[in-house]
Amino acid sequence: MTDVIVLNGGSSSGKSGIARCLQAVLPDPWLALGTDTLVDAMPASMQASDAGIEFAPDGQVTVGPEFRTLEAAWIEGVAAMARAGARVIVDEVFLGGADSQKRWQQALGELRVLWVGVRCDSAVAAGREVARGDRVVGMAASQADVVHRGMVYDLEVDTAHAESMECARIIAAHVS
């Protein structure tokens, strides 16, 4: 039985919407946790320090050593929740592509994971980003492709061509 579903895609690709729809269509309760949850939990000073996480005016995101330390603890914590019996949907942005996936693979270890690539045309994601109004403009376009570099997925969905609920149903069909 699948313990963890990892949704990886760029900003405004539709991961959070898919996660909410998965919670609605999957028969058991699933926790939805993601990188936004981690960033929101960090002190504001982490967003004003090159040791933390910085969002450049052009949408580029850079992370420093303090962020990486907290992120590592976060990843281990999510893995511990799954090992304790919580089924978890992870909503992530793998800025480091395959290196980011490796960090999660090491932490998740023996857990059964469904790796899902959430793709979205950069122009569509950029339009969503503007409509949202809560992201630095340029983030969606800068992340649309880089987050998928070197990644190995069990399944991919494309939110530029399918709504969140349709993507969730496709993913749910692969959850055992």
Side-chain angles (χ1 to χ4, degrees):
M1 187 160 271
T2 304
D3 301 306
V4 179
I5 301 168
V6 177
L7 305 174
N8 175 51
S11 179
S12 299
S13 63
K15 301 175 307 297
S16 298
I18 291 171
R20 284 189 298 275
C21 290
L22 279 167
Q23 288 177 308
V25 300
L26 290 168
D28 299 314
W30 286 73
L31 297 175
L33 303 168
T35 193
D36 288 345
T37 311
L38 170 61
V39 172
D40 289 346
M42 291 181 176
S45 63
M46 290 287 291
Q47 293 185 29
S49 161
D50 59 359
I53 185 168
E54 291 185 287
F55 301 94
D58 66 354
Q60 293 294 319
V61 179
T62 55
V63 298
E66 289 178 8
F67 178 89
R68 286 286 182 226
T69 298
L70 291 176
E71 179 191 43
W74 163 259
I75 292 169
E76 289 294 335
V78 171
M81 284 190 284
R83 281 189 196 90
R87 298 178 90 188
V88 181
I89 302 164
V90 177
D91 170 348
E92 259 293 355
V93 179
F94 287 168
L95 294 175
D99 289 338
S100 298
Q101 186 177 33
K102 285 177 190 168
R103 286 193 296 274
W104 276 95
Q105 286 171 326
Q106 288 173 343
L108 296 172
E110 75 291 346
L111 293 166
R112 292 157 304 223
V113 181
L114 180 65
W115 297 94
V116 181
V118 179
R119 295 197 179 263
C120 183
D121 178 82
S122 63
V124 172
R128 292 176 183 168
E129 175 180 72
V130 170
R132 288 174 70 159
D134 67 347
R135 295 287 189 267
V136 176
V137 174
M139 192 180 302
S142 71
Q143 295 176 0
D145 294 321
V146 72
V147 299
H148 299 293
R149 286 192 189 137
M151 294 293 300
V152 176
Y153 296 118
D154 299 308
L155 176 66
E156 294 186 41
V157 293
D158 186 340
T159 65
H161 298 96
E163 294 294 325
S164 294
M165 185 56 81
E166 182 181 346
C167 291
R169 287 190 174 116
I170 290 167
I171 295 165
H174 289 82
V175 173
S176 55

